[in-house]
Amino acid sequence: MADTVRAAMLIRLNTALAGGTGMSPPLIRQYVEFLNKGLTPVVLGQGSVGQADITILPQIGLAMMGEGMVEAGGKRLPAAEAMRQAGLSPVKPYAKDSLSLLSSNAYGAALAILAAHDASRVLDRADEVAALSLEGLNGNVAPLLPATQAQRPYPAQQQVARRILSLLEGSALWQVDAQRPLQDPLSFRTVSQVHGAAREALRQLDTQLVVQINTSDDNPTVALDVSPPAGATPQEARYYVTEGKLRGAVLPSAGFDPTAWVVPLQSVGVALSQVAQSSAQRVLRMGDPAFTKLPRFLSPNETTLAYTTIQKPVSLLATEIRALSQPVSSDALAVAGNIEDVATNGPLAAQRVAQQAARLRTLLGIELIHAAQAVDLRTRADPQRAVGKGTGAVLAAFRQEVPFLSQDRRLADDIARADQFLDTERGTAR
């Protein structure tokens, strides 16, 4: 939560510096001081319906005024005391400051940016896991080849295909194998399409969020150094201030409506659900000898059950991720005396995408467990069988955390270690 609050403060500071907020210099400097001195307001993060976070952001403003609690140096203490220790004085709101403290989607945008970051990271790992799964299946590279991709040249899809081919450089999959079927299950064949669609959804979201965090979403918005246009109507002219050399306008607006990025945010959620369903299906196919020509459930011998009951958390995770992909932006009640009769639920949408990314990482960890076992079963049966340069690096690193399953053991520990492995930053495998 502290990361989200600090991100929200940074976003609000940036939008204030972009102009349009009418925020006073002392208040802007207070944001800077709080960020630089590590003072993080304690915020209760529920209640925003995504039409400006007016139930969330005032808690930050109150802390800068010396009210409420803050976290500083790993401790939670009264805001007034933390400010005294940091050599700061409570800010005194002036003119539009009070409204500027709350009329913004900085909190929702912070949640969305952090969720998008998590989704991007998990998609990187998803490419690596899917590539290793293709090796575990002894699958076909044909759908990934440049000549194939050129027939449907979606840029993000081609990017994924190139990356997976790079990971598979030197793999036995490039050699003819009489045991290899002509067509793989769709969950293997469509990886570039599914992962590419998710990356494209993220790209669209990123484009909209860049606008969100670099412009003012205030209501009213303050425009500096502008004059009424020629022929302005009396209603239009009343928003402008023209006193002496002063020129500007205070314009009632709906800039606080974040539909422009909430809709693509939810598209990311749908895309992550597609990625999850494909991953879950690949796990189930890898446990089936009809597709792998390996022992059932990837058992290393006749006395080991191996990956049988582990299919149940796969099913649950896929279901949870799919449920979290359901849009929430149009599900709102009329509030504020019925004048605020639509909403976006942007913060909720962002929280759901973040939850999806976390669950998808766990699901991919289970897929990685299966893929690694399948590849190891093949190389143990044929020590001369080559593994891709990139996939081999992923497998070697993973085996430092989760060993080959030679006999039944507690798989909950393996799942946790696989999840942590995928969550750890490391050199991107090529």
Side-chain angles (χ1 to χ4, degrees):
M1 185 62 182
D3 287 345
T4 303
V5 173
R6 292 184 65 78
M9 294 173 69
L10 182 60
I11 290 169
R12 190 52 180 150
L13 172 61
N14 194 59
T15 58
L17 294 174
T21 65
M23 193 179 291
S24 69
L27 180 54
I28 290 176
R29 285 193 290 269
Q30 194 78 322
Y31 276 100
V32 174
E33 294 290 353
F34 262 56
L35 287 167
N36 287 343
K37 294 182 181 294
L39 304 184
T40 305
V42 175
V43 171
L44 302 179
Q46 300 295 328
S48 174
V49 297
Q51 293 292 108
D53 303 314
I54 61 176
T55 59
I56 308 295
L57 296 181
Q59 299 174 66
I60 296 175
L62 287 170
M64 294 192 294
M65 295 163 60
E67 300 185 26
M69 304 291 287
V70 302
E71 293 181 358
K75 299 179 180 179
R76 181 174 292 192
L77 61 163
E81 174 61 19
M83 292 172 66
R84 185 191 66 77
Q85 294 180 13
L88 299 177
S89 300
V91 71
K92 296 180 180 179
Y94 171 77
K96 186 177 173 291
D97 281 349
S98 294
L99 190 55
S100 297
L101 283 168
L102 57 89
S103 183
S104 167
N105 288 288
Y107 175 74
L111 286 170
I113 288 171
L114 293 173
H117 175 264
D118 291 347
S120 179
R121 286 186 62 201
V122 80
L123 285 176
D124 284 342
R125 303 287 82 82
D127 291 347
E128 298 170 8
V129 173
L132 192 63
S133 290
L134 193 64
E135 296 231 48
L137 182 73
N138 189 30
N140 286 274
V141 296
L144 302 166
L145 295 176
T148 311
Q149 292 286 320
Q151 302 301 310
R152 298 276 284 174
Y154 293 112
Q157 174 183 314
Q158 291 179 308
Q159 174 191 351
V160 172
R162 286 192 299 269
R163 182 163 188 246
I164 293 178
L165 287 179
S166 176
L167 289 163
L168 293 172
E169 180 183 347
S171 166
L173 298 187
W174 295 100
Q175 305 303 318
V176 175
D177 187 339
Q179 297 298 313
R180 184 178 296 133
L182 179 63
Q183 302 272 31
D184 297 329
L186 292 182
S187 55
F188 290 85
R189 264 191 279 166
T190 63
V191 167
S192 66
Q193 285 80 6
V194 173
H195 292 194
R199 290 187 180 280
E200 177 59 23
L202 266 177
R203 185 196 65 78
Q204 294 177 10
L205 173 60
D206 287 346
T207 297
Q208 299 302 80
L209 286 173
V210 166
V211 176
Q212 168 66 42
I213 66 176
N214 287 288
T215 57
S216 167
D217 56 358
D218 282 61
N219 177 44
T221 186
V222 179
L224 302 178
D225 302 321
V226 296
S227 299
T233 66
Q235 178 65 36
E236 187 178 4
R238 71 192 299 259
Y239 302 125
Y240 289 83
V241 177
T242 55
E243 294 184 5
K245 295 182 178 181
L246 183 63
R247 295 290 184 274
V250 179
L251 303 158
S253 79
F256 52 79
D257 185 287
T259 301
W261 58 261
V262 174
V263 169
L265 173 65
Q266 293 175 124
S267 295
V268 170
V270 173
L272 291 180
S273 178
Q274 292 286 116
V275 174
Q277 301 315 307
S278 291
S279 173
Q281 294 296 345
R282 289 193 297 272
V283 170
L284 299 180
R285 298 298 85 75
M286 282 189 285
D288 188 342
F291 295 100
T292 64
K293 308 297 189 294
L294 295 171
R296 191 182 186 204
F297 304 127
L298 303 178
S299 175
N301 52 55
E302 294 182 354
T303 61
T304 300
L305 294 175
Y307 302 125
T308 52
T309 58
I310 200 173
Q311 293 184 348
K312 292 178 172 59
V314 168
S315 177
L316 175 61
L317 286 164
T319 298
E320 288 181 329
I321 294 167
R322 183 168 58 249
L324 288 167
S325 73
Q326 297 301 311
V328 295
S329 60
S330 59
D331 187 5
L333 302 176
V335 296
N338 291 329
I339 195 170
E340 297 180 12
D341 51 0
V342 296
T344 68
N345 290 316
L348 175 60
Q351 289 167 337
R352 288 162 72 90
V353 169
Q355 292 169 28
Q356 284 183 290
R359 286 167 171 78
L360 177 55
R361 189 183 65 235
T362 303
L363 176 56
L364 288 168
I366 298 176
E367 182 184 352
L368 179 56
I369 289 171
H370 283 72
Q373 184 78 1
V375 171
D376 280 348
L377 286 173
R378 293 190 186 281
T379 55
R380 289 183 177 216
D382 178 9
Q384 301 304 313
R385 183 182 179 87
V387 180
K389 181 179 179 181
T391 48
V394 172
L395 177 59
F398 182 62
R399 283 300 183 225
Q400 297 296 314
E401 305 298 329
V402 180
F404 176 78
L405 186 73
S406 57
Q407 60 183 12
D408 286 323
R409 63 175 180 249
R410 178 185 167 95
L411 294 180
D413 294 336
D414 287 4
I415 294 173
R417 292 191 188 101
D419 189 353
Q420 181 61 40
F421 175 79
L422 293 178
D423 192 38
T424 301
E425 290 285 359
R426 62 185 189 278
T428 302
R430 297 296 182 189

